[in-house]
Coordinates of all heavy atoms in Angstrom, one line a residue:
D1 N 35.1 79.7 10.4 CA 34.7 80.3 9.1 C 33.1 80.5 9.1 O 32.7 81.5 8.5 CB 35.0 79.3 8.0 CG 34.8 79.9 6.6 OD1 34.7 81.1 6.5 OD2 34.8 79.1 5.6
D2 N 32.4 79.7 9.8 CA 30.9 79.8 9.8 C 30.4 80.6 11.0 O 29.2 80.7 11.1 CB 30.3 78.4 9.9 CG 30.6 77.5 8.7 OD1 30.9 78.1 7.6 OD2 30.4 76.3 8.7
M3 N 31.2 81.2 11.8 CA 30.8 81.9 13.0 C 29.7 82.9 12.8 O 28.7 82.9 13.4 CB 32.0 82.5 13.7 CG 31.7 82.8 15.2 SD 33.3 83.0 16.1 CE 34.0 84.4 15.2
E4 N 30.0 83.9 11.8 CA 29.0 84.9 11.6 C 27.7 84.4 11.0 O 26.6 84.9 11.4 CB 29.6 86.0 10.6 CG 30.7 86.8 11.1 CD 32.0 86.1 11.2 OE1 32.1 85.0 10.6 OE2 32.9 86.6 11.9
E5 N 27.8 83.4 10.1 CA 26.5 82.8 9.6 C 25.7 82.1 10.7 O 24.5 82.2 10.7 CB 26.9 81.8 8.5 CG 25.7 81.2 7.8 CD 26.1 80.3 6.7 OE1 27.3 80.2 6.3 OE2 25.2 79.6 6.2
D6 N 26.4 81.4 11.6 CA 25.7 80.7 12.7 C 25.1 81.7 13.6 O 24.0 81.4 14.2 CB 26.7 79.8 13.4 CG 27.2 78.6 12.6 OD1 26.4 78.2 11.7 OD2 28.2 78.1 12.8
I7 N 25.7 82.9 13.8 CA 25.1 83.9 14.6 C 23.8 84.4 14.0 O 22.8 84.5 14.7 CB 26.1 85.1 14.8 CG1 27.3 84.7 15.7 CG2 25.3 86.3 15.5 CD1 28.3 85.7 15.8
R8 N 23.8 84.6 12.7 CA 22.6 85.1 12.0 C 21.5 84.1 12.0 O 20.3 84.4 12.1 CB 23.0 85.5 10.5 CG 23.8 86.7 10.4 CD 23.8 87.2 8.9 NE 24.4 86.2 8.0 CZ 25.7 86.2 7.7 NH1 26.6 87.0 8.2 NH2 26.2 85.2 6.9
N9 N 21.9 82.8 11.8 CA 20.9 81.7 11.8 C 20.5 81.1 13.1 O 19.7 80.2 13.2 CB 21.4 80.6 10.9 CG 21.6 81.1 9.4 OD1 21.0 82.0 9.0 ND2 22.5 80.4 8.7
D10 N 21.2 81.7 14.2 CA 21.0 81.2 15.5 C 21.3 79.7 15.6 O 20.5 78.9 16.2 CB 19.5 81.4 16.0 CG 19.4 81.3 17.5 OD1 20.4 81.4 18.2 OD2 18.3 80.9 18.0
S11 N 22.3 79.3 14.9 CA 22.8 77.9 14.9 C 23.9 77.6 15.9 O 24.6 78.6 16.3 CB 23.3 77.5 13.5 OG 22.3 77.6 12.6
F12 N 24.0 76.4 16.4 CA 25.1 76.1 17.4 C 26.4 76.2 16.8 O 26.7 75.7 15.7 CB 24.9 74.7 18.0 CG 26.0 74.3 18.8 CD1 26.2 74.9 20.1 CD2 26.9 73.3 18.4 CE1 27.3 74.5 20.9 CE2 28.0 72.9 19.2 CZ 28.2 73.5 20.4
N13 N 27.3 76.9 17.4 CA 28.7 76.9 17.1 C 29.5 77.0 18.4 O 29.3 77.9 19.2 CB 29.0 78.2 16.2 CG 30.5 78.2 15.7 OD1 31.4 77.9 16.4 ND2 30.6 78.6 14.4
P14 N 30.4 76.0 18.6 CA 31.1 75.9 19.9 C 31.9 77.2 20.2 O 32.2 77.5 21.4 CB 31.9 74.7 19.8 CG 32.1 74.4 18.4 CD 30.8 74.9 17.8
L15 N 32.4 77.9 19.2 CA 33.2 79.1 19.4 C 32.3 80.2 20.0 O 32.9 81.1 20.7 CB 33.8 79.6 18.1 CG 34.9 78.7 17.5 CD1 35.3 79.2 16.1 CD2 36.1 78.7 18.4
L16 N 31.0 80.1 19.8 CA 30.2 81.2 20.4 C 30.0 81.0 21.9 O 29.6 82.0 22.6 CB 28.8 81.1 19.7 CG 28.8 81.4 18.2 CD1 27.4 81.3 17.7 CD2 29.4 82.7 17.9
K17 N 30.4 79.9 22.4 CA 30.3 79.7 23.9 C 31.3 80.5 24.6 O 31.2 80.8 25.8 CB 30.5 78.2 24.2 CG 29.3 77.3 23.9 CD 29.6 75.9 24.2 CE 29.6 75.7 25.7 NZ 28.4 75.9 26.4
I18 N 32.3 81.0 23.9 CA 33.4 81.8 24.4 C 32.8 83.1 24.9 O 33.4 83.8 25.8 CB 34.5 82.0 23.4 CG1 35.1 80.7 23.0 CG2 35.6 82.9 23.9 CD1 36.1 80.7 21.9
K19 N 31.7 83.6 24.4 CA 31.1 84.8 24.8 C 30.7 84.8 26.3 O 30.4 85.9 26.8 CB 29.9 85.2 23.9 CG 28.7 84.3 24.1 CD 27.5 84.6 23.2 CE 26.3 83.7 23.4 NZ 25.2 84.0 22.5
E20 N 30.6 83.6 26.9 CA 30.3 83.6 28.3 C 31.4 84.3 29.1 O 31.1 84.8 30.2 CB 30.1 82.1 28.8 CG 28.9 81.4 28.1 CD 28.9 79.9 28.4 OE1 29.8 79.5 29.2 OE2 28.0 79.3 27.9
N21 N 32.6 84.3 28.6 CA 33.7 84.9 29.3 C 34.0 86.3 28.8 O 34.5 87.1 29.5 CB 35.0 84.1 29.0 CG 34.8 82.6 29.5 OD1 34.3 82.4 30.6 ND2 35.3 81.7 28.8
D22 N 33.6 86.6 27.5 CA 33.9 87.9 27.0 C 32.9 88.1 25.8 O 32.8 87.3 24.9 CB 35.3 88.0 26.5 CG 35.7 89.4 26.1 OD1 35.0 90.1 25.3 OD2 36.8 89.9 26.7
E23 N 32.2 89.2 25.8 CA 31.2 89.5 24.8 C 31.8 89.9 23.5 O 31.1 90.0 22.5 CB 30.2 90.6 25.3 CG 29.3 90.1 26.5 CD 28.3 89.1 26.0 OE1 28.0 89.0 24.9 OE2 27.9 88.3 26.9
S24 N 33.1 90.2 23.4 CA 33.7 90.7 22.2 C 33.9 89.7 21.2 O 34.4 88.6 21.4 CB 35.0 91.4 22.6 OG 35.8 91.7 21.4
E25 N 33.5 90.0 19.9 CA 33.7 89.1 18.8 C 35.1 88.9 18.5 O 35.6 87.9 18.1 CB 32.9 89.6 17.6 CG 32.9 88.6 16.4 CD 32.1 89.1 15.3 OE1 31.1 89.8 15.5 OE2 32.3 88.7 14.1
D26 N 35.9 90.0 18.7 CA 37.3 90.0 18.5 C 38.0 89.0 19.4 O 39.0 88.4 19.0 CB 37.9 91.4 18.7 CG 37.5 92.4 17.6 OD1 37.1 91.9 16.5 OD2 37.5 93.6 17.8
Y27 N 37.5 88.9 20.6 CA 38.1 88.0 21.6 C 37.9 86.5 21.1 O 38.8 85.7 21.2 CB 37.4 88.2 22.9 CG 38.0 87.2 24.0 CD1 39.2 87.4 24.6 CD2 37.2 86.1 24.4 CE1 39.7 86.6 25.5 CE2 37.7 85.3 25.4 CZ 38.9 85.5 26.0 OH 39.4 84.6 26.9
R28 N 36.7 86.2 20.6 CA 36.4 84.9 20.1 C 37.3 84.5 18.9 O 37.8 83.4 18.8 CB 34.9 84.8 19.7 CG 33.9 84.8 20.8 CD 32.6 84.3 20.4 NE 32.0 85.1 19.4 CZ 31.1 86.1 19.7 NH1 30.7 86.3 20.9 NH2 30.5 86.8 18.7
Q29 N 37.5 85.5 18.0 CA 38.4 85.3 16.9 C 39.9 85.1 17.4 O 40.6 84.2 16.8 CB 38.4 86.5 16.0 CG 37.1 86.7 15.2 CD 37.2 87.6 14.0 OE1 38.3 88.0 13.6 NE2 36.1 88.0 13.5
K30 N 40.3 85.8 18.4 CA 41.6 85.7 18.9 C 41.8 84.3 19.5 O 42.8 83.6 19.2 CB 41.9 86.7 20.0 CG 43.3 86.7 20.5 CD 43.5 87.8 21.6 CE 44.9 87.7 22.1 NZ 45.1 88.8 23.2
V31 N 40.8 83.8 20.2 CA 40.9 82.4 20.8 C 41.0 81.4 19.7 O 41.8 80.4 19.8 CB 39.7 82.2 21.7 CG1 39.7 80.7 22.2 CG2 39.8 83.1 23.0
A32 N 40.1 81.5 18.7 CA 40.1 80.6 17.6 C 41.5 80.5 16.8 O 42.0 79.5 16.5 CB 39.0 80.9 16.6
R33 N 42.0 81.7 16.6 CA 43.3 81.8 15.9 C 44.4 81.2 16.7 O 45.3 80.5 16.2 CB 43.7 83.3 15.7 CG 42.8 83.9 14.6 CD 43.0 85.4 14.5 NE 44.3 85.8 14.2 CZ 44.8 87.1 14.0 NH1 43.9 88.1 14.3 NH2 46.0 87.3 13.7
I34 N 44.4 81.4 18.1 CA 45.4 80.7 18.9 C 45.3 79.2 18.9 O 46.3 78.5 18.8 CB 45.3 81.3 20.4 CG1 45.7 82.7 20.4 CG2 46.1 80.4 21.3 CD1 45.4 83.4 21.8
M35 N 44.0 78.7 18.9 CA 43.8 77.3 18.9 C 44.3 76.7 17.6 O 45.0 75.7 17.5 CB 42.3 77.0 19.0 CG 41.8 77.2 20.4 SD 40.0 76.7 20.5 CE 40.2 74.9 20.4
L36 N 44.0 77.4 16.5 CA 44.4 76.9 15.1 C 46.0 76.9 15.0 O 46.6 76.0 14.5 CB 43.8 77.8 14.0 CG 42.3 77.6 13.8 CD1 41.7 78.7 13.0 CD2 42.0 76.2 13.2
Q37 N 46.6 78.0 15.5 CA 48.1 78.1 15.5 C 48.7 76.9 16.3 O 49.7 76.3 15.9 CB 48.5 79.4 16.0 CG 48.1 80.6 15.1 CD 48.9 80.6 13.8 OE1 49.7 79.7 13.5 NE2 48.7 81.6 13.0
M38 N 48.2 76.7 17.5 CA 48.7 75.7 18.4 C 48.6 74.3 17.7 O 49.5 73.5 17.8 CB 48.0 75.7 19.7 CG 48.4 76.9 20.6 SD 47.5 76.9 22.1 CE 48.1 75.5 22.9
I39 N 47.4 74.0 17.1 CA 47.2 72.7 16.5 C 48.2 72.5 15.3 O 48.8 71.5 15.1 CB 45.8 72.5 16.1 CG1 44.8 72.5 17.3 CG2 45.6 71.2 15.3 CD1 43.4 72.5 16.9

């Protein structure tokens, strides 16, 4: 939920570490959605 705000504020968000594998924001959202569905 806070991902975009953390990007703007340059705050730490563990989901943003996913960009090391893929620069696409859609990819980060996809990973987060899969994690949430699995849990």
Side-chain angles (χ1 to χ4, degrees):
D1 193 15
D2 293 343
M3 197 162 60
E4 288 76 14
E5 183 180 351
D6 289 336
I7 291 173
R8 289 194 299 269
N9 298 334
D10 195 26
S11 300
F12 171 71
N13 187 317
L15 289 174
L16 300 181
K17 289 180 67 65
I18 298 172
K19 69 182 180 182
E20 296 173 1
N21 302 319
D22 192 305
E23 291 293 334
S24 169
E25 185 174 336
D26 291 336
Y27 180 75
R28 290 197 294 266
Q29 289 195 15
K30 184 178 179 181
V31 171
R33 288 170 63 180
I34 291 172
M35 289 185 69
L36 289 165
Q37 292 288 4
M38 289 178 65
I39 298 172

